[in-house]
Amino acid sequence: MKKQRLVLRTLILIVLGAAVAYTLYENFKKDEIEKVVIGEKAPDFVLTDLNGKKHRLSDYKGKGVFLNFWGTWCKPCEEEMPFINRQYNKFKEKGVQVLAVNVGESDFAVKKFAETYKLDFPILNDKSGDVQSAYRIDPLPATFLIDKDGKVIKYHKGELTEKMVNDFMEQIKP
């Protein structure tokens, strides 16, 4: 009986040790692969918008991309959305694309928010949190400016004013 318990405990410890080792390995590997560096190419991703259309970041090569991470519960995000929408309508014909990435909320909540603010740009939902992790988003809102060649030229943490949004879009206009 004692021998069986010893064998069982040993097996449990081996399995737990393997699980911890695997988790650590995956986290280190992920950190090595996905780092956002100013002046380097932005990590590519594919996310689906509220209409079911897939958007791949690399498909916007040739355009400046205003990549904004936000949440419906985030008051600063709520404040800046009308500014982003107005400037998007001003700059979309000049080669600037806004991609607003919601950080994993329900489609219902995101659609309601987008309808309330009459947002015209693609609203993408990062339900898995993979894109948020790749871009190391914390806290919200967070905005990346990506030039026509797909390189990150600026990262801004926190709320944006309308003048800032305008200036940022000017910077990424091809």
Side-chain angles (χ1 to χ4, degrees):
M1 192 68 146
K2 283 186 178 184
K3 191 173 185 176
Q4 283 180 331
R5 278 191 299 210
L6 180 63
V7 169
L8 185 59
R9 287 178 183 164
T10 304
L11 285 174
I12 290 172
L13 282 174
I14 290 171
V15 169
L16 286 174
V20 168
Y22 177 76
T23 302
L24 290 172
Y25 169 76
E26 284 299 315
N27 282 335
F28 287 129
K29 188 173 97 177
K30 189 174 185 179
D31 286 346
E32 287 173 17
I33 294 171
E34 301 171 6
K35 287 191 178 180
V36 177
V37 178
I38 304 298
E40 299 281 324
K41 192 171 169 74
D44 202 12
F45 61 83
V46 178
L47 290 174
T48 305
D49 68 19
L50 297 175
N51 300 317
K53 182 181 175 199
K54 290 193 182 296
H55 295 261
R56 179 180 301 275
L57 179 62
S58 57
D59 288 346
Y60 293 99
K61 191 169 184 170
K63 290 187 172 205
V65 177
F66 186 95
L67 181 61
N68 180 263
F69 290 84
W70 66 283
T72 61
W73 47 266
C74 163
K75 203 65 175 155
C77 303
E78 187 177 350
E79 297 288 327
E80 71 185 15
M81 279 297 170
F83 306 150
I84 295 170
N85 199 56
R86 272 194 296 276
Q87 295 305 312
Y88 169 68
N89 285 316
K90 180 178 164 185
F91 280 89
K92 67 183 175 183
E93 299 301 320
K94 299 175 183 178
V96 174
Q97 180 63 53
V98 170
L99 295 177
V101 179
N102 178 271
V103 294
E105 296 179 81
S106 73
D107 285 344
F108 177 78
V110 176
K111 278 182 184 178
K112 187 174 178 191
F113 184 94
E115 288 168 2
T116 299
Y117 290 96
K118 297 175 177 61
L119 301 177
D120 299 318
F121 45 80
I123 307 287
L124 313 177
N125 202 331
D126 183 22
K127 290 183 181 180
S128 68
D130 290 344
V131 178
Q132 181 182 0
S133 293
Y135 281 80
R136 290 192 162 81
I137 303 305
D138 186 41
L140 292 176
T143 304
F144 289 85
L145 302 183
I146 302 168
D147 71 9
K148 64 182 176 53
D149 299 318
K151 291 183 181 168
V152 178
I153 62 166
K154 188 172 186 74
Y155 170 55
H156 179 81
K157 267 195 268 192
E159 186 175 351
L160 299 167
T161 65
E162 188 147 12
K163 180 174 180 359
M164 290 167 78
V165 174
N166 180 282
D167 293 347
F168 287 172
M169 290 192 184
E170 271 301 330
Q171 289 177 41
I172 57 173
K173 182 175 69 173

